[in-house]
Amino acid sequence: MADLVPLPSSVLRKRCDPACFSFETTESLADHAGDLGQERAVEAIRFGLAMGHSGYHVFVLGDAGSGKHATTFRLLRERAAGEPVPPDLCYLHNFDEPLKPRLLTLPAGRGGALRTRMQTFIRDLGPALGAALDSDAHVERVEALQSALKAREEAALRELGQACGAEGISLLQTPEGFVFAPTREGEAMSPESFEALPEDERKAIEARIGEWSDRLEDLLNDFPGWRKSVRESIDRAEREVLGPALAHLLREVREAHEDLPEVLAFLDAVERDVLDSAVRGTMLDEEDEEAPEPEENTRYHRYQVKLLVDHAASQGAPVVFENNPGYGNLIGRIEHIVQQGNQVSHFNLIRAGALHRANGGYLVLDAERLLSQPFAWEGLKRCLRAGEIRIEPPAEAQGWSGALTLEPEAVPSALKVVLIGDRDVYYLLMEHDPEFADLFKVAADFNDDIPRTPENECEYARLMALLARGAKLLPVHRSGVARLVEQASRLAEDSGRLSLNTRALSDLMREADFHARRKGLAATGRAEVEDALAARERRCNRYPTRVRESILEGTTLISTDGERAGQINGLVVVELAGELFGHPVRITATVRMGEGDVVDIERETELGGAIHSKGVLILSAFLAARYARHQPLSLSASLVFEQSYAPVEGDSASLAELCALLSALTQIPIQQRFAITGSVNQFGEVQVIGGVNEKIEGFFDLCSARGLDGSHGVVIPAASARHLMLREDVVQAAADGRFHIHAVKTVDEAMTVLTGVEAGEPDAKGVIPKGTLNHKVATVLAEMTAARHAYSDAEGSAGARQHRRRHGV
């Protein structure tokens, strides 16, 4: 039967002795790598990074604050430092298809050099073209060609005029064009003189004029051909004069990139386009535009080099973290500008995404942020599946805008993606996205805690040294290290383990550092850590203080003395803004004759969660299995959390509910000086629960406010004893005998502690000793069963008499 002796104070808190550390402060310790207790996760990350096959991208999962980001980035930078720098990525104007810019990859650093040289070429191009075309030799050559054409045309017309003049016909030039007129004695005839001529002579003259008109028409039809020939000659002259100028401008660029055939091909295309544009006159027409445009829209923008990704300053492979992984920031985007009311774009408006910057290296993304962005997750998967980065609107958004856009050549992707997120996100993706398992085949699961061994405590001290130096904090004295180790066990909710939540540890170290600096100390000790914890508790104690005040004022009914059947003090824990608070709650039970139903009022009012309802069903099954194996369970019971107006979840109150139910059934009172927590299974065994420290401390604070008299205590599962890391004042009260903590393994032991009545175990014949709790339960249930049978028999007899009277029997 239960040992009523409470737990000794030595097991209520596992202390860390500062003497176990060989150092005085963490200043003398070497930094830890930062991956304490994460050997499995580190091995998984290294495997995923080294695996060259497709689909072996990495998902790093674990609780927030477990050091996932720091460890992942450290491993990535270590590996990336020894890998080659990826090439620069550039886009060039496609002279054949302007809407499909061409991709150019160059060795790291040479993209910027090419861009600079092309900018110099563009700056010098206009003046060089103007100087070449305005040179005296070229101008004289063009003028000579034009003068020769003019002289040829005039000579042909003069020769024609002389020939027709010999036949008495004059060639005249008027504003409307050339006309023929008859002459007499060298003078053109007036219309009246011509009409006065005999008809035959007039007809002859008209016939000759017609012949000469045909010859004039033939001559004028030759003029366009002559002019075309001269235009071609002028074009050749312009090409001949511009060719050397262009060759001079591009010579330096060609020499600097003579080992890159793609660059030389681009320069050839630039040279051809410049000559064609200059000869057509469009180059000079654009040059004469009065209103200057932005750089991206200048007349020479097509000769620029769009440097998409520049690795000139990079060392090793890139490690990129995209904090805002929207679709555009991830895949890249094409911007537009407005010209004359229309949205237009060109290759200089292409913007790189995180995938481009990380290509050839590693891209780190926060999984939850990625999934919250429209189209971003699908865009990333599309890129990883296709093995290329294609900048385009998401397929779901194509067609939303009528703006003309570009189709840049896709960039072959060669990168490793590392997603960092919570376990829930990982398992949701694994279950609901069939493509996820094919793309992210490596899971690096970070541990939440490690065993608390002397070796690990020393390693933990090195981790504190790393955190202190990283945050530029004062060194931590070994007494402060010991206190932080104890707090790490408290965070782990296990005296035998140490929490790996480095975020919470770092925050506490910063707050303790604040108090140490305010005192003018050279190192942070135990007292400063205690000050930081106390200050944090004061900042966050509004809710527990109001709950305790409500109980002390009598608004919330909680008894800490006396005894009452069917009433018990349960314990609940509440989490607000990351802080846990425990406080007692009254649980009551009522019993009456019935058909074996246990009514959970919380569930009936939809305030009870699924796990809480499960706990009630389990205790109902325990009652039926233990006390009604050979007879019907002839009771109906009701359970309720009194003055509870919020949802109730969890099964940690099922032991309290069962004890209240047994007390109500037997009318054996429960001593109200106790509070109890624990879950129970169908065999009446008490199971471990969470938040045991906060629950005990919540009841202790209430009893302290009312005055500890040495009788108060808490009943917890025996399996939760190893989780105890109670406050020093609670431990001291237990050591002084003013507060007690009992650990029980079964509901029988719990009832013995709560009521002072032995539970009673059946002997070899199955007989339970009289005067025990279980004998009382069996007796009451037998009486209820007999009463129920008697009621049923009486009701059946009355029904039979009514039947006989109705039928006259």
Side-chain angles (χ1 to χ4, degrees), residues 568-573 587 651-657 674-680 686-693 695-696 714-718 720 742-744 750 754:
I568 196 169
N569 293 324
L571 292 172
V572 298
V573 65
I587 300 174
D651 63 350
S652 64
S654 59
L655 175 61
E657 291 172 320
F674 287 111
I676 187 171
T677 182
S679 68
V680 67
V686 180
Q687 302 170 142
V688 67
I689 46 84
V692 64
N693 293 295
K695 292 176 179 178
I696 293 173
V714 175
V715 178
I716 65 170
S720 293
H742 298 269
V744 297
L754 294 172

Side-chain angles (χ1 to χ4, degrees), residues 296 306 308 332-335 348-353 356 391:
E296 292 80 4
K306 172 60 182 179
L308 195 70
R333 63 187 183 277
I334 302 171
E335 296 180 346
N348 276 302
L349 296 176
I350 299 174
R351 301 292 181 254
H356 296 94
I391 303 178

Side-chain angles (χ1 to χ4, degrees), residues 388-696:
E388 63 180 20
I389 310 168
R390 186 174 297 278
I391 303 178
E392 59 184 357
E396 298 84 349
Q398 289 180 5
W400 287 2
S401 173
L404 187 65
T405 189
L406 304 177
E407 298 179 26
E409 184 179 347
V411 178
S413 67
L415 77 161
K416 187 74 70 172
V417 177
V418 179
L419 292 182
I420 301 179
D422 295 335
R423 292 187 178 90
D424 291 344
V425 175
Y426 175 78
Y427 292 121
L428 283 173
L429 287 172
M430 187 65 73
E431 182 176 355
H432 297 289
D433 191 336
E435 296 176 324
F436 176 73
D438 292 334
L439 296 174
F440 292 85
K441 296 180 180 180
V442 180
D445 195 349
F446 272 63
N447 286 325
D448 301 330
D449 49 44
I450 56 173
R452 183 177 170 181
T453 63
E455 295 77 12
N456 282 342
E457 288 182 350
C458 293
E459 291 299 310
Y460 213 75
R462 290 181 57 206
L463 179 62
M464 294 180 203
L466 172 67
L467 296 175
R469 292 193 183 100
K472 298 182 179 179
L473 306 178
L474 294 174
V476 183
H477 190 269
R478 59 182 179 180
S479 64
V481 171
R483 183 62 184 88
L484 289 170
V485 167
E486 295 174 4
Q487 185 63 20
S489 288
R490 170 76 178 230
L491 291 175
E493 297 189 52
D494 192 330
S495 62
R497 304 192 71 82
L498 296 172
S499 171
L500 293 177
N501 190 329
T502 55
R503 182 184 302 172
L505 181 64
S506 298
D507 291 343
L508 180 56
M509 291 175 64
R510 291 188 185 94
E511 295 168 19
D513 180 83
F514 168 80
H515 290 280
R517 290 179 186 274
R518 201 164 66 167
K519 295 177 181 178
L521 301 177
T524 301
R526 183 182 187 91
E528 288 69 50
V529 178
E530 295 285 4
D531 290 343
L533 289 170
R536 179 182 296 181
E537 183 178 354
R538 287 193 298 273
R539 291 195 300 271
C540 302
N541 70 352
R542 186 196 65 83
Y543 174 79
T545 300
R546 290 297 301 133
V547 171
R548 188 163 56 251
E549 289 176 351
S550 176
I551 296 174
L552 294 174
E553 293 168 355
T555 304
T556 301
L557 301 179
I558 298 292
S559 299
T560 55
D561 56 13
E563 57 184 22
R564 187 172 185 178
Q567 176 178 297
I568 196 169
N569 293 324
L571 292 172
V572 298
V573 65
V574 178
E575 181 176 5
L576 292 176
E579 297 292 331
L580 297 177
F581 310 102
H583 64 83
V585 60
R586 174 174 288 182
I587 300 174
T588 60
T590 59
V591 177
R592 56 203 172 276
M593 188 175 67
E595 298 181 355
D597 299 326
V598 177
V599 178
D600 178 11
I601 295 179
E602 306 297 329
R603 180 180 60 183
E604 296 297 324
T605 57
E606 299 183 355
L607 286 177
I611 298 177
H612 176 262
S613 299
K614 175 184 176 182
V616 175
L617 293 175
I618 288 174
L619 69 86
S620 302
F622 164 77
L623 281 176
R626 169 175 283 194
Y627 300 111
R629 297 182 62 182
H630 305 295
Q631 63 184 11
L633 190 61
S634 302
L635 64 79
S636 288
S638 298
L639 294 169
V640 67
F641 279 64
E642 300 289 358
Q643 293 182 285
S644 172
Y645 310 105
V648 176
E649 182 57 304
D651 63 350
S652 64
S654 59
L655 175 61
E657 291 172 320
L658 178 57
C659 291
L661 186 59
L662 293 175
S663 171
L665 181 65
T666 60
Q667 288 299 298
I668 296 176
I670 291 176
Q671 300 178 51
Q672 301 299 298
R673 57 190 177 90
F674 287 111
I676 187 171
T677 182
S679 68
V680 67
N681 62 21
Q682 292 190 102
F683 301 106
E685 298 169 339
V686 180
Q687 302 170 142
V688 67
I689 46 84
V692 64
N693 293 295
E694 290 77 11
K695 292 176 179 178
I696 293 173

